[in-house]
Amino acid sequence: MLYLRTTILPDNTHVVLRGQPSEASSQSLSGRVIFGLAHSLKVKRVTVAFQSVGSTKNQLPAQNGCAPVHMEQVVFDASDLPTGWTLWKPNRCVRNATNYEFPFEFVLPGHLHESTNTPFGSVCYEIRATVHTCGFGINTWSESIKVPVYRIPKEGSSQALQLTDALQTQADWLGAVELLVSHGTMAIADNSKINVHIVVRPLQKGLMLADIGLRLSETICHKSLTDKFGDLRTSQSTISVRRKVTGDPANGLTALPLCQDHAFDLSLSIPKAFSGIQYSMNTPRITISHELVLVATLIDQDENPRHLRISSSIRVVPKVALEDNFAELPPYRNAEYDRLLLGSNAHQLNRFTSPPPSYSHTVSTQI
């Protein structure tokens, strides 16, 4: 609408549900909607709704646990007035512009399905503000913004602690060479860059390394859809690839001689969620998993290429999932013992000047 500008300002740009649908608590989504006018407008009612959106083709079926969501609040209503409407004037004619600012708040249940966008359908949510006017022509004007819903492990749970575990995997090929892959955590965030440390360790002489590559792949499996052979429908895609040629063609070396351990640091760019990658999840109807794959090309003593492959599962999670694992850790100065020390004077502390007893002294004392 040319003479009505709607601005939706949620207090949080996303909703975070912690724990499984059966244990996650409800979350509040609040904010305000602001209207700016260029001309006067006869307004009857203003509503704000939180709802799921998606066409019939792209919305995952309701029978699979994803029923449509629609919560609506009436934040302004002029039905009690004799005319049934009130006149909104342009902001420049009103001293208090907050007359056209309305707060809203929704309590979202913990069993909401998290947002996702797959070839089998999508689950997405929005906040929509609607102004109902009176007059000729179109009398309903709406504006909306997307609000993603994340589901992360519950704080302090074993699943949450596993996210910060280090990724370390290794494999050897016929006792001739060993590959080691490591990363700081078993989980990575979208819209970021990860650095993977790779070590190629020769166990026999005469081998050469031609190239080494890193790939992040995604597999989406729908548990209630099957193909013509009766197998579950799956979709596989490559998210990010990085390849490094280890030889030096300028000096006539097509491959790197493996005479000692060689370390490489390769980085992968992780795209933004819902457009280039999906979050890892395992729900009653869909599974999304990710795999980090290392491929190395070796040249054996007979100059035959050998392709080695090592893989490890890895989780893609929202950034807030990784931040939560450290948010509850208190700073060192807040420890109980530190508070005791900080609250005491140095001369009041007991100082032990005698050395600790030796092991033989302790044994003889017990006897």
Side-chain angles (χ1 to χ4, degrees):
M1 191 173 184
L2 297 179
Y3 48 87
L4 177 62
R5 183 181 69 254
T6 305
T7 305
I8 303 174
L9 299 175
D11 294 334
N12 295 298
T13 58
H14 54 266
V15 177
V16 179
L17 303 176
R18 293 174 170 83
Q20 298 299 320
S22 59
E23 63 180 1
S25 58
S26 301
Q27 296 295 320
S28 174
L29 176 62
S30 59
R32 53 201 173 101
V33 56
I34 304 174
F35 300 98
L37 280 71
H39 301 280
S40 298
L41 193 65
K42 297 178 180 179
V43 179
K44 298 167 53 178
R45 187 172 68 257
V46 177
T47 60
V48 179
F50 175 85
Q51 59 188 15
S52 57
V53 293
S55 64
T56 304
K57 178 181 179 181
N58 294 326
Q59 185 74 29
L60 289 167
Q63 61 267 26
N64 288 330
C66 186
V69 176
H70 183 82
M71 305 177 185
E72 186 175 86
Q73 292 182 357
V74 179
V75 297
F76 176 81
D77 190 5
S79 59
D80 294 337
L81 298 178
T83 58
W85 53 267
T86 185
L87 184 64
W88 282 10
K89 298 180 179 180
N91 295 85
R92 63 177 181 269
C93 301
V94 181
R95 292 184 178 181
N96 188 6
T98 57
N99 290 338
Y100 306 112
E101 177 178 331
F102 304 96
F104 63 85
E105 182 176 8
F106 299 98
V107 178
L108 308 182
H111 59 76
L112 278 182
H113 194 286
E114 55 267 48
S115 300
T116 186
N117 183 20
T118 73
F120 309 118
S122 63
V123 178
C124 52
Y125 302 92
E126 70 175 10
I127 298 176
R128 178 173 292 272
T130 304
V131 178
H132 301 268
T133 63
C134 58
F136 298 99
I138 300 175
N139 295 325
T140 302
W141 311 92
S142 297
E143 187 69 32
S144 65
I145 61 170
K146 293 293 193 327
V147 179
V149 174
Y150 304 146
R151 184 174 299 279
I152 64 176
K154 197 172 183 179
E155 295 179 10
S157 64
S158 59
Q159 293 83 359
L161 297 177
Q162 289 174 0
L163 298 180
T164 57
D165 289 344
L167 185 153
Q168 292 183 346
T169 182
Q170 64 182 42
D172 68 89
W173 174 68
L174 301 178
V177 65
E178 186 178 25
L179 298 178
L180 299 95
V181 180
S182 62
H183 181 257
T185 59
M186 289 290 297
I188 58 177
D190 66 306
N191 196 23
S192 65
K193 181 174 289 187
I194 64 171
N195 296 311
V196 181
H197 185 67
I198 303 167
V199 176
V200 180
R201 177 173 298 158
L203 304 178
Q204 293 181 6
K205 296 182 179 180
L207 297 177
M208 303 182 71
L209 180 65
D211 61 48
I212 192 167
L214 200 62
R215 182 178 77 247
L216 178 65
S217 61
E218 179 179 80
T219 301
I220 303 174
C221 176
H222 201 294
K223 300 178 181 179
S224 60
L225 297 179
T226 58
D227 56 19
K228 60 182 179 181
F229 301 105
D231 298 326
L232 295 179
R233 292 186 59 183
T234 60
S235 172
Q236 295 182 342
S237 58
T238 298
I239 304 301
S240 183
V241 178
R242 178 73 184 277
R243 180 174 176 266
K244 180 179 179 62
V245 178
T246 57
D248 188 4
N251 295 326
L253 295 176
T254 57
L256 176 67
L258 294 179
C259 302
Q260 59 183 5
D261 291 4
H262 292 275
F264 306 91
D265 290 311
L266 298 183
S267 62
L268 289 177
S269 297
I270 311 302
K272 193 174 181 180
F274 310 129
S275 56
I277 195 172
Q278 306 302 313
Y279 292 127
S280 303
M281 66 179 63
N282 185 12
T283 69
R285 58 183 180 76
I286 195 169
T287 299
I288 302 178
S289 59
H290 298 86
E291 188 179 40
L292 189 64
V293 182
L294 170 68
V295 178
T297 303
L298 296 179
I299 307 298
D300 61 15
Q301 297 177 352
D302 299 327
E303 298 185 354
N304 295 320
R306 304 287 184 176
H307 301 285
L308 280 65
R309 182 183 184 274
I310 180 175
S311 63
S312 176
S313 60
I314 194 168
R315 293 194 62 183
V316 179
V317 298
K319 291 183 180 180
V320 65
L322 299 178
E323 295 169 353
D324 275 359
N325 285 282
F326 301 98
E328 297 300 324
L329 295 177
Y332 183 70
R333 64 178 180 274
N334 288 342
E336 184 67 28
Y337 185 66
D338 282 352
R339 288 199 294 268
L340 175 63
L341 294 179
L342 292 174
S344 304
N345 295 326
H347 67 275
Q348 295 176 340
L349 296 177
N350 295 326
R351 300 180 181 273
F352 298 91
T353 57
S354 58
S358 62
Y359 179 77
S360 60
H361 175 76
T362 304
V363 173
S364 62
T365 303
Q366 294 175 351
I367 294 176

